[in-house]
């Protein structure tokens, strides 16, 4: 690259003339500023010129600001204005030399002396700075100087009290900053907008509370505004208020009064050649001869399209390479097979049809000469633009044996930007090749999709991505640490995912283009590289695509709330480009914190990564660093992130067993933010109090626990916000459980009733989950108090409220309630009602796959066997008994107990036993087969009348022997002995 600024003297002279014009401050009246727009194709030197003009400002000590549009991801007008303020240079502190006039009065005796004005200005600026910390915690010297320059005595700022100024800032900081910029315009400062064309690459919007009208701006309702329109209006506003606005870009909303940057002149190309000659011997030898120098400059002028800086570089490198290979200047100038075809058949200023890129045919022809053995772009070079990242293997796949030639040729002319073994095409060259491919309809062809397919398959193979294993493990849970390690071993996984989407096996037929889908998938924060890779390998349905798009939109809101707009946007971009491997990439977050002023969200991201990797002490230290930097901020967004940090710190301390430190951290959170009316802060405070109460209970401090829960309810119990109602409901439920554990059953029931009164009518699942558990516990407590009818009524209320829900968490509690109701009815001697209740349980949830619900159904089915036996409906009992045996194994007590009950039924009704040789040996065998870990909890009091009714004394003794074993868990040897004895000494078990 040319490393010294060349030419553009005309523009520098014109700019210096603008700087020399009178300012509003000098004239005593408003003098409108100027708008300077530079445009031109990529590579023409727009950004280079703007940087040179800013150097002129520094040299002349002229105040200016700079805004680079490329990569600008600020969410609001306020943030853009702060960015401008931070970039400001050469705004001197307004320290007028008026010391000799200390005591002189102005014509108006009511006005302040100049010294008093200066002191008042200092105080006002400091008040503004302090207030602005609410919105931006890191105001720098540049912002301070800008504020001094912007304070306008004539507009009465200093005649207002500091409190009034503070109120202006708080009411609308965006408008206040705009007025500061407006007032600073009296010094005729400059604002540079670089990369203006990037405003139009995406239809991005920002939030703003102002409306521009000419040279004024007024307060407006907060609205989403197209970013390009807002910045264009800002530029006009500043120009109308004295600023010199300098823009550089390919595209503008209004192209009037735009200066198109010319290509380098003959003199400037000569200057470039002479600079090149200082670096390269080939050129140095050529320019020694005036004739050779002239021929070289003429050739380079033609090959660089009369002096385009980018193509001049390419041309110089190409010519240098060809000369090194033995060619001569005469041959390069005269032989059409080399370089002249396009220039002899096309006018130089022709604007070609593909991509609206100037001189595109000629540029493509020039590129084709880089590979003279096969100059066909349609079969060769355009494919360089298909991958986003290149390496030797990819080039071999694309070009086979020609890969080495193409790589060498493009590398020699500076067409690649290289990083290690990976490299990318220069932006304009890739744009040119893609434009060519689009114009020839090459990008969406079956062949191109096959190339994406080949790249995908080869990247999978080269990097040892086990596609089959990844697919079969898609449903298996893997730790994020394992995922991250896998990603580190496979840095090309993201690129493989890109080609997996672009091969278009599912997008187009489902109404979304591959490019659109990749924009969502690639930028996803919640999905790891591994998941993105899995998505790209599957043939997704329309529903799956829509579900993913919903996830992408929801996650943007979620992570913006956690990390803030700037951190979230930067992370999303880093994940899409491969700079971050996942949201838990430690190295990414550690690099983020190396900058001078990291965002609060950066600290939260690093702490979360430490937590995932098990570095809990580092996690806690990171939270402390966040609090040190931002803990004193009044900015709502920063306070929310600080509260998040304190809450997370408390949770981590609790997991480390540092309960007292955990409680102290929650107390600190309450001290800082407990009096806030902001919902986001109240949510963290409520969760902190809830956790504090739980921890106090675990420490055996039940009374303190209850007091903490009461404090939570006092603070937030009347809130309508679901975010607060949930911890309140949890608190009431936990308080009820604690009171029950303390033996205060009536207080526990009252607490459950309070929970139902407050939240029983809610449709929110999170609240319903606590309500259904509260009703279940209330029913359980009433039963323990001997109030069986009240318990049954409570279970009925539970079923009335939540029995029709599809939520598994509610269904589980409903199943438990029905089971308990059936058991309670059985204990009341209402066997028919008990059986009916068990049947309802099986009817409602018999198809459930949830293990807890299946366990209750099995218990209900087993209990109903006993109820049917009590009613002497032995045939029905046997049918259900057999169902139980089919569903149990040797790890469950029912497998042995049901065998015993079956034997007992046959003793009670011998006619049913004719088809089944069930005897005591089979019962003993089922007991012997049980796992040693089996615990018996079955009661037989309801069956004892049946045992007493047995006509055979021997059968009665055997039945008692089995029952005693089940109830007292006696030695199995006694039962084994029963096989060879007709008697059983039941006293053994007493």
């Amino acid at each position: 690259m040319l490393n010294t600024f060349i030419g553009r003297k005309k523009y520098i002279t014109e700019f210096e003339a603008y700087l020399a014009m009178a300012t509003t401050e000098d004239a005593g009246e408003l003098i409108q500023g100027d708008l300077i727009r530079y445009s031109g194709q990529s590579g023409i030197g727009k950004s280079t010129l703007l940087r040179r003009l800013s150097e002129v400002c520094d040299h002349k000590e002229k105040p200016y600001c700079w805004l680079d549009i490329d990569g600008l991801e600020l969410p609001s007008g306020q943030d853009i204005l702060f960015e401008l303020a931070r970039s400001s240079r050469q705004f001197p502190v307004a320290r007028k030399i008026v010391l000799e006039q200390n005591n002189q009065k102005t014509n108006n005796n009511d006005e302040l002396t100049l010294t008093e004005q200066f002191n008042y200005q200092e105080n006002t600026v400091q008040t503004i700075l302090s207030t602005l910390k609410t919105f931006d915690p890191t105001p720098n010297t540049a912002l301070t100087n800008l504020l001094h320059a912007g304070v306008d005595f004539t507009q009465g700022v200093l005649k207002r009290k500091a409190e009034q100024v503070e109120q202006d800032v708080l009411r609308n900081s965006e408008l206040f900053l705009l007025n500061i910029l407006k007032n600073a315009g009296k010094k005729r400062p400059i604002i540079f907008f670089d990369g203006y064309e990037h405003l139009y690459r995406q239809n991005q919007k920002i939030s703003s509370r102002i409306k521009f009208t000419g040279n004024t701006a007024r307060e407006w309702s907060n609205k989403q505004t197209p970013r390009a329109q807002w910045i264009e209006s800002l530029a006009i506003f500043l120009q109308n208020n004295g600023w010199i606005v300098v823009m550089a870009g390919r595209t503008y909303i209004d192209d009037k009064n735009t200066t198109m940057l010319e290509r380098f002149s003959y003199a400037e190309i000569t200057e470039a050649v002479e600079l090149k000659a200082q670096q390269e011997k080939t050129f140095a030898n050529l320019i020694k001869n005036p004739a050779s120098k002239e021929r070289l400059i003429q050739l380079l002028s033609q090959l660089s399209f009369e002096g385009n800086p980018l193509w001049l570089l390419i041309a110089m490198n190409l010519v240098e390479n060809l000369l090194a290979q033995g060619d001569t200047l005469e041959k390069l100038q005269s032989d059409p097979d080399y370089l002249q075809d396009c220039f002899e058949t096309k006018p130089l200023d022709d604007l070609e049809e593909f991509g609206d890129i100037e001189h595109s045919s000629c540029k493509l022809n020039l590129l084709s000469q880089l590979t003279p053995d096969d100059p066909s772009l349609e079969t060769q070079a355009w494919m360089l633009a298909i991958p986003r990242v290149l390496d030797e293997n990819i080039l071999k796949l694309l070009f086979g044996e020609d890969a080495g030639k193409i790589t060498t040729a493009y590398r020699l002319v500076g067409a690649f930007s290289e990083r290690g073994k990976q490299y990318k095409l220069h932006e304009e060259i890739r744009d040119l090749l893609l434009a060519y491919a689009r114009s020839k309809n090459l990008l969406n062809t079956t062949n191109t999709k096959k190339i994406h397919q080949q790249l995908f398959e080869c990247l999978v193979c080269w990097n040892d991505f086990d596609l089959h294993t990844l697919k079969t493990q898609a449903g298996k849970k893997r730790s994020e640490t394992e995922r991250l390690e896998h990603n580190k071993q496979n840095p090309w996984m993201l690129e493989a995912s890109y080609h997996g989407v672009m091969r278009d096996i599912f997008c187009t037929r489902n109404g979304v283009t591959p490019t659109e889908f990749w924009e969502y998938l690639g930028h996803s924060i919640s999905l790891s590289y591994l998941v993105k890779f899995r998505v790209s390998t599957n043939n997704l349905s329309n529903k799956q695509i829509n579900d993913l798009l919903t996830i992408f939109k929801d996650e943007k809101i979620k992570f913006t709330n956690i990390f803030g707009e700037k951190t979230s946007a930067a992370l999303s971009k880093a994940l899409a480009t491969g700079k971050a491997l996942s949201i838990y990439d430690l190295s990414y977050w550690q690099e983020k914190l190396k900058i001078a002023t990291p965002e609060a969200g950066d600290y939260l991201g690093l702490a979360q990564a430490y937590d995932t990797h098990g570095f809990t002490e580092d996690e806690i230290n990171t939270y402390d660093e966040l609090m040190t930097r931002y803990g004193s901020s009044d900015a709502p967004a920063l306070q929310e992130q600080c509260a998040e940090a304190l809450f997370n710190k408390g949770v981590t301390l609790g997991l480390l067993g540092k309960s007292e430190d955990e409680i102290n951290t929650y107390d600190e959170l309450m001290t800082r933010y407990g009096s806030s009316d902001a919902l986001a802060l109240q949510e963290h405070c409520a969760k902190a109090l809830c956790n504090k109460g739980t921890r106090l209970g675990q420490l055996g401090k039940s009374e303190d626990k209850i007091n903490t829960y009461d404090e939570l309810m006092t603070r937030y119990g009347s809130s309508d916000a679901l975010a607060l109602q949930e911890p309140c409901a949890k608190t009431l439920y936990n308080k009820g459980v604690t009171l029950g554990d303390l033996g205060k059953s009536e207080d526990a029931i009252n607490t459950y009733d309070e929970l139902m009164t407050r939240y029983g009518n809610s449709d929110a699942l999170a609240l319903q989950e606590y309500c259904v558990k509260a009703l279940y516990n209330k029913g359980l407590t009433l039963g323990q108090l001997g109030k069986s009818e009240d318990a049954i009524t409570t279970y009925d209320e539970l079923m009335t409220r939540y029995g029709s829900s599809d939520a598994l968490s509610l269904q589980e509690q409903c199943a438990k309630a029905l089971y308990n109701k059936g058991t309670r009815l059985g204990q009341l001697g209402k066997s028919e009602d008990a059986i009916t209740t068990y049947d309802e349980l099986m009817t409602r949830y018999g198809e459930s796959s949830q293990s807890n619900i299946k366990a209750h159904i099995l218990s209900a089915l087993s209990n109903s066997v006993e109820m049917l036996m009590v009613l002497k409906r032995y045939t029905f009992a046997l049918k259900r008994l057999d169902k139980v045996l089919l569903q149990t194994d040797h790890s469950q007590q029912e497998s042995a107990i049901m065998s015993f009950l079956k034997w007992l039924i046959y003793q009670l009704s011998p006619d049913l036993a004719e088809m089944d040789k069930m005897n005591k040996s089979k019962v003993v065998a089922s007991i012997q087969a049980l796992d040693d870990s089996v615990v018996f909890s079955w009661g037989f009091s309801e069956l004892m009348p049946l045992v007493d009714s047995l006509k055979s004394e021997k059968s009665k003794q055997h039945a008692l022997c089995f029952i005693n074993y089940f109830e007292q868990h006696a030695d199995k040897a006694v039962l084994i002995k029963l096989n060879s004895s007709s008697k059983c000494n039941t006293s053994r078990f007493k």
Side-chain angles (χ1 to χ4, degrees):
M1 290 293 292
L2 302 177
N3 53 17
T4 301
F5 187 81
I6 294 173
R8 307 302 191 199
K9 293 181 175 59
K10 177 179 69 172
Y11 302 116
I12 295 173
T13 301
E14 290 175 352
F15 182 71
E16 289 176 336
Y18 280 115
L19 298 184
M21 292 181 180
T23 67
T24 298
E25 189 175 50
D26 298 330
E29 60 181 3
L30 177 64
I31 296 179
Q32 192 176 41
D34 294 283
L35 178 62
I36 307 170
R37 285 172 164 164
Y38 297 114
S39 187
Q41 291 292 328
S42 175
I44 201 68
K46 302 180 293 296
S47 297
T48 303
L49 175 60
L50 256 61
R51 285 192 293 272
R52 177 58 178 160
L53 297 182
S54 70
E55 291 172 3
V56 172
C57 291
D58 285 324
H59 179 69
K60 294 182 175 292
E61 297 185 347
K62 293 292 292 185
Y64 69 92
C65 298
W66 183 289
L67 190 67
D68 190 350
I69 308 297
D70 185 14
L72 184 70
E73 307 210 12
L74 300 177
S76 67
Q78 174 182 282
D79 288 303
I80 292 174
L81 294 174
F82 268 119
E83 188 66 25
L84 280 174
R86 293 191 197 96
S87 72
S88 60
R89 299 291 183 272
Q90 304 299 334
F91 280 93
V93 177
R95 298 180 179 275
K96 296 183 178 180
I97 305 176
V98 293
L99 296 181
E100 70 278 7
Q101 303 175 355
N102 280 347
N103 297 314
Q104 293 180 8
K105 299 286 184 179
T106 62
N107 293 331
N108 186 343
N109 292 330
D110 293 332
E111 292 188 4
L112 302 172
T113 66
L114 292 177
T115 301
E116 289 171 333
Q117 286 180 344
F118 169 74
N119 292 334
Y120 202 109
Q121 181 194 32
E122 288 294 315
N123 294 335
T124 302
V125 168
Q126 292 306 314
T127 298
I128 296 170
L129 278 173
S130 177
T131 309
L132 283 177
K133 286 185 179 181
T134 302
F135 308 99
D136 183 355
T138 57
N140 57 11
T141 303
L143 175 58
T144 305
N145 292 345
L146 178 63
L147 290 175
H148 276 289
V151 170
D152 190 337
F153 300 159
T154 63
Q155 294 195 2
V157 173
L158 296 182
K159 294 179 182 178
R160 305 184 66 195
K161 293 182 179 180
E163 305 89 74
Q164 293 175 312
V165 175
E166 183 177 3
Q167 290 173 4
D168 290 342
V169 179
L170 288 172
R171 184 175 65 251
N172 191 327
S173 62
E174 186 179 1
L175 182 60
F176 186 86
L177 284 169
L178 263 183
N179 284 327
I180 286 293
L181 291 172
K182 175 181 177 179
N183 296 334
K186 65 183 180 180
K187 295 179 179 293
R188 198 172 175 79
I190 301 90
I191 182 169
F192 295 101
F193 290 99
D194 192 20
Y196 211 80
E197 73 276 5
H198 292 281
L199 280 178
Y200 307 97
R201 290 190 170 180
Q202 290 180 326
N203 186 26
Q204 295 185 355
K205 293 187 176 182
I206 60 172
S207 62
S208 177
R209 294 177 57 198
I210 58 172
K211 184 176 183 179
F212 292 102
T213 52
N215 65 341
T216 63
R218 56 194 177 94
E219 189 167 1
W220 200 249
S221 59
N222 193 27
K223 290 185 178 181
Q224 291 291 311
T225 305
R227 186 181 64 170
Q229 177 184 329
W230 192 92
I231 291 182
E232 185 79 8
S233 298
L234 171 66
I236 295 172
F237 170 83
L238 294 175
Q239 179 199 357
N240 289 337
N241 285 285
W243 287 68
I244 301 174
V245 180
V246 185
M247 298 177 174
R250 299 187 205 177
T251 311
Y252 298 101
I253 295 176
D254 180 4
D255 279 329
K256 295 178 182 178
N257 301 319
T258 298
T259 300
M260 295 294 296
L261 290 186
E262 304 98 340
R263 300 170 179 87
F264 279 172
S265 65
Y266 180 89
E268 289 167 333
I269 295 175
T270 302
E271 185 180 350
V273 168
E274 291 172 348
L275 178 62
K276 180 79 170 177
Q278 296 175 17
Q279 303 168 355
E280 301 291 343
K281 290 183 179 180
T282 303
F283 274 44
N285 292 331
L286 279 174
I287 67 172
K288 290 178 181 179
N289 184 310
S292 297
K293 179 178 180 180
E294 178 65 21
R295 284 197 298 272
L296 176 61
I297 293 171
Q298 289 177 357
L299 177 63
L300 292 175
S301 177
Q302 189 174 36
L303 296 183
S304 64
F305 309 99
E306 296 185 353
N308 180 290
L310 171 66
W311 292 92
L312 177 61
L313 172 65
I314 291 176
M316 286 194 296
N317 287 336
L318 176 61
V319 169
E320 178 193 358
N321 181 43
L322 293 173
L323 291 174
Q325 294 176 9
D327 289 315
T328 64
L329 284 175
E330 292 78 4
K331 185 176 182 180
L332 295 180
Q333 284 183 305
S334 62
D335 192 338
D337 290 338
Y338 268 91
L339 304 171
Q340 298 298 308
D341 282 345
C342 170
F343 298 95
E344 292 181 356
T345 59
K346 300 277 187 179
L348 188 59
D349 59 354
D350 184 33
L351 196 63
E352 299 299 336
E353 70 275 12
F354 33 84
D356 200 34
I357 297 176
E358 192 177 28
H359 314 316
S360 50
S361 287
C362 297
K363 290 175 179 177
L364 289 168
N365 184 66
L366 184 59
L367 289 176
S368 70
Q369 301 305 317
L370 299 178
T371 53
D373 294 339
D374 186 358
S376 173
L377 285 168
E378 189 159 336
T379 60
Q380 285 287 316
W382 76 270
M383 291 189 293
L384 277 171
I386 294 179
R388 303 181 308 166
V389 182
L390 297 160
D391 72 355
E392 300 297 337
N393 288 327
I394 290 177
L395 287 166
K396 288 178 182 177
L397 185 149
L398 292 173
F399 305 112
E401 295 180 355
D402 294 329
K405 297 178 182 178
I406 292 176
T407 304
T408 301
Y410 275 77
R411 180 180 283 124
L412 285 174
V413 299
F416 291 131
S417 59
E418 303 188 35
R419 181 181 295 176
K421 295 183 179 180
Q422 298 179 5
Y423 37 95
K424 298 181 180 180
L425 277 174
H426 186 284
E427 181 182 1
E428 185 182 5
I429 295 176
R430 186 166 188 261
D431 287 346
L432 183 64
L433 294 177
L434 286 174
Y436 169 82
R438 276 193 294 270
S439 74
K440 301 297 183 181
N441 295 317
L442 297 173
L443 292 180
N444 295 319
T445 64
T446 302
N447 184 58
T448 301
K449 292 176 182 178
K450 286 182 179 178
I451 294 175
H452 282 297
Q453 177 70 31
Q454 290 175 328
L455 286 167
F456 170 76
E457 292 175 350
C458 289
L459 285 172
V460 170
C461 177
W462 294 335
N463 295 283
D464 195 25
F465 301 152
D466 188 344
L467 191 57
H468 174 73
T469 302
L470 289 173
K471 283 188 174 181
T472 56
Q473 291 182 346
K476 295 183 180 180
K477 193 172 183 179
R478 296 180 67 182
S479 70
E480 190 59 34
T481 303
E482 291 175 321
R483 290 179 182 153
L484 187 59
E485 186 61 32
H486 183 80
N487 291 339
K488 285 182 177 178
Q489 295 170 358
N490 300 283
W492 286 90
M493 185 174 284
L494 187 66
E495 192 66 14
S497 303
Y498 167 73
H499 292 295
V501 171
M502 297 306 292
R503 60 188 172 157
D504 195 15
I505 62 173
F506 57 80
C507 289
T508 301
R509 63 179 172 80
N510 286 304
V512 59
T513 68
T515 303
E516 291 170 338
F517 187 77
W518 176 252
E519 186 68 18
Y520 282 112
L521 180 65
H523 285 78
S524 173
I525 293 176
S526 63
L527 302 185
S528 67
Y529 279 17
L530 184 58
V531 175
K532 291 176 183 179
F533 181 73
R534 288 174 184 157
V535 169
S536 71
T537 64
N538 289 300
N539 191 352
L540 302 181
S541 66
N542 184 264
K543 181 180 183 305
Q544 289 172 318
I545 288 178
N546 289 331
D547 289 345
L548 281 170
L549 292 177
T550 300
I551 290 174
F552 298 146
K553 293 171 184 176
D554 290 345
E555 77 167 21
K556 182 176 181 180
I557 297 173
K558 172 186 174 183
F559 288 107
T560 297
N561 289 339
I562 294 174
F563 297 125
E565 184 74 26
K566 294 179 184 178
T567 298
S568 178
L571 175 61
S572 177
K573 186 175 182 180
L575 289 168
T577 57
K579 291 182 180 179
L581 294 174
S582 82
I583 190 175
Y584 306 111
D585 188 338
L586 265 178
S587 59
Y588 168 76
W589 292 113
Q590 287 168 339
E591 286 298 318
K592 292 282 286 181
L593 260 67
K594 289 180 180 179
I595 63 175
T597 56
E599 299 289 326
D602 296 336
Y603 286 99
L604 289 175
L606 178 60
Q608 194 166 342
Y610 278 137
D611 176 63
T612 300
H613 293 281
F615 302 137
T616 50
E617 292 297 335
D618 291 319
E619 176 192 359
I620 292 170
N621 291 337
T622 303
Y623 291 137
D624 290 341
E625 290 175 17
L626 188 157
M627 294 305 299
T628 299
R629 181 177 288 274
Y630 295 111
S632 60
S633 173
D634 295 327
L638 287 173
Q639 287 185 336
E640 183 178 345
Q641 290 172 314
C642 288
E644 173 85 16
L646 285 173
F647 178 77
N648 289 351
K649 177 184 175 181
V651 171
T652 301
L653 287 167
L655 294 174
L656 292 174
K658 300 179 178 181
S659 300
E660 294 297 336
D661 291 340
E662 176 189 9
I663 292 170
N664 291 337
T665 301
Y666 294 142
D667 287 342
E668 179 185 353
L669 194 158
M670 294 304 301
T671 300
R672 288 178 178 270
Y673 309 116
S675 60
S676 174
D677 294 330
L679 176 59
L681 296 180
Q682 289 180 337
E683 181 180 355
H684 288 301
C685 290
K687 291 192 298 182
L689 285 174
C690 189
N691 280 13
K692 176 183 175 181
T694 301
R695 185 62 65 195
L696 286 168
Q698 292 170 351
L699 294 174
K701 301 178 179 181
S702 298
E703 292 298 331
D704 291 340
K705 173 182 180 181
I706 292 173
N707 290 337
T708 300
Y709 288 152
D710 288 342
E711 178 186 353
L712 192 157
M713 294 306 300
T714 300
R715 287 177 178 270
Y716 309 115
S718 60
S719 175
D720 294 330
L722 178 60
L724 295 179
Q725 288 181 337
E726 184 176 347
C728 287
K730 181 180 180 180
T731 290
L732 286 174
Y733 173 75
N734 288 351
K735 178 181 176 182
V737 172
T738 302
L739 289 168
D741 292 340
L742 293 174
K744 300 179 180 181
S745 300
E746 292 297 337
D747 291 341
I749 291 171
N750 291 336
T751 301
Y752 295 139
D753 287 342
E754 180 184 354
L755 194 159
M756 294 305 301
T757 300
R758 289 178 179 272
Y759 309 116
N761 295 324
S762 175
D763 294 329
L765 178 60
L767 297 182
Q768 289 180 337
E769 288 175 344
Y770 288 113
C771 288
V772 72
K773 290 194 293 183
L775 284 174
Y776 175 79
N777 279 12
K778 177 183 175 181
L780 200 63
T781 303
L782 287 167
Q784 293 168 350
L785 292 175
K787 299 180 179 182
S788 297
E789 293 296 339
D790 291 341
I792 291 169
T793 300
T794 301
Y795 293 139
D796 288 341
E797 180 185 354
L798 188 155
M799 293 306 300
T800 300
R801 288 179 177 271
Y802 308 113
S804 60
S805 175
D806 293 329
L808 294 177
S809 57
L810 300 185
Q811 288 182 345
E812 182 177 342
Q813 297 298 321
C814 289
K816 288 168 61 179
L818 285 173
Y819 175 75
N820 280 13
K821 177 184 175 182
T823 302
R824 186 63 59 187
L825 287 166
Q827 292 170 351
L828 292 174
K830 299 180 179 182
S831 299
E832 289 284 2
D833 292 340
I835 293 170
T836 301
T837 301
Y838 290 142
D839 287 346
E840 180 184 355
L841 169 58
M842 290 182 277
T843 300
R844 285 180 179 269
Y845 308 116
E847 301 299 321
S848 176
S849 60
Q850 296 300 305
S851 58
N852 290 339
I853 294 178
K854 290 171 71 174
H856 290 305
I857 290 174
L858 181 63
S859 295
L861 189 62
S862 302
N863 283 3
S864 67
V865 171
E866 186 174 344
M867 296 293 102
L868 288 167
M869 290 176 65
V870 170
L871 295 172
K872 299 182 179 180
R873 294 161 60 179
Y874 301 128
T875 302
F876 293 103
L878 283 173
K879 289 181 179 180
R880 297 194 178 203
L881 187 151
D882 287 337
K883 287 183 179 180
V884 176
L885 288 173
L886 288 173
Q887 298 177 42
T888 56
D889 56 31
H890 301 312
S891 65
Q892 297 163 285
Q893 62 173 332
E894 287 85 358
S895 65
I897 290 172
M898 289 300 115
S899 295
F900 163 66
L901 294 183
K902 190 172 187 179
W903 172 84
L904 181 58
I905 289 173
Y906 289 160
Q907 306 307 310
L908 293 166
S909 181
D911 55 318
L912 294 176
E914 292 180 1
M915 301 299 295
D916 193 335
K917 301 298 184 183
M918 187 66 182
N919 54 46
K920 64 181 182 185
S921 298
K922 290 187 177 181
V923 181
V924 173
S926 67
I927 293 174
Q928 286 182 295
L930 288 173
D931 294 343
D932 293 336
S933 60
V934 171
V935 176
F936 294 101
S937 59
W938 198 277
F940 293 87
S941 58
E942 290 86 355
L943 292 177
M944 289 309 297
L946 293 178
V947 173
D948 291 338
S949 70
L950 288 171
K951 296 178 180 179
S952 169
E953 189 63 30
K954 183 172 67 173
S955 296
K956 184 183 295 185
Q957 289 295 315
H958 291 169
L960 291 172
C961 189
F962 285 124
I963 290 172
N964 280 320
Y965 171 74
F966 289 132
E967 290 187 338
Q968 300 185 29
H969 313 289
D971 192 14
K972 288 183 183 180
V974 176
L975 296 174
I976 296 171
K977 186 176 179 181
L978 184 62
N979 275 328
S980 58
S981 172
S982 60
K983 295 182 179 181
C984 176
N985 182 9
T986 57
S987 64
R988 168 87 176 257
F989 303 100
K990 294 180 181 178

